[in-house]
Amino acid sequence: PEEIEISLLYGEESIELKVADNGSGLVKHQKSDGMGLDIMAHRAQSIGGSLEVCPGAVRGTVVTCTLSLDVLS
């Protein structure tokens, strides 16, 4: 990627961390020995959050981790 954008949004009900790039994106059905995305999803779930990985609007990848503020109270 040539550009990476990181944003942190703090709302009334949740916190959202988003990382987006303009790279070539993830190749579907590509088998990997790595555990990176699985570990990220597991860690998000372990604190009551969720992880979403999807293609960018034009190209690249967008990774979003969302945590409900209900979990923190």
Side-chain angles (χ1 to χ4, degrees), residues 13-56:
E13 298 179 8
S14 65
I15 298 171
E16 177 184 274
L17 174 65
K18 184 180 291 189
V19 180
D21 69 35
N22 67 346
S24 58
L26 297 175
V27 178
K28 287 187 176 186
H29 307 294
Q30 180 179 355
K31 184 68 176 165
S32 172
D33 292 332
M35 295 175 33
L37 293 175
D38 291 334
I39 292 294
M40 289 169 60
H42 174 76
R43 288 180 176 171
Q45 290 174 351
S46 72
I47 61 170
S50 64
L51 185 79
E52 179 184 26
V53 180
C54 59

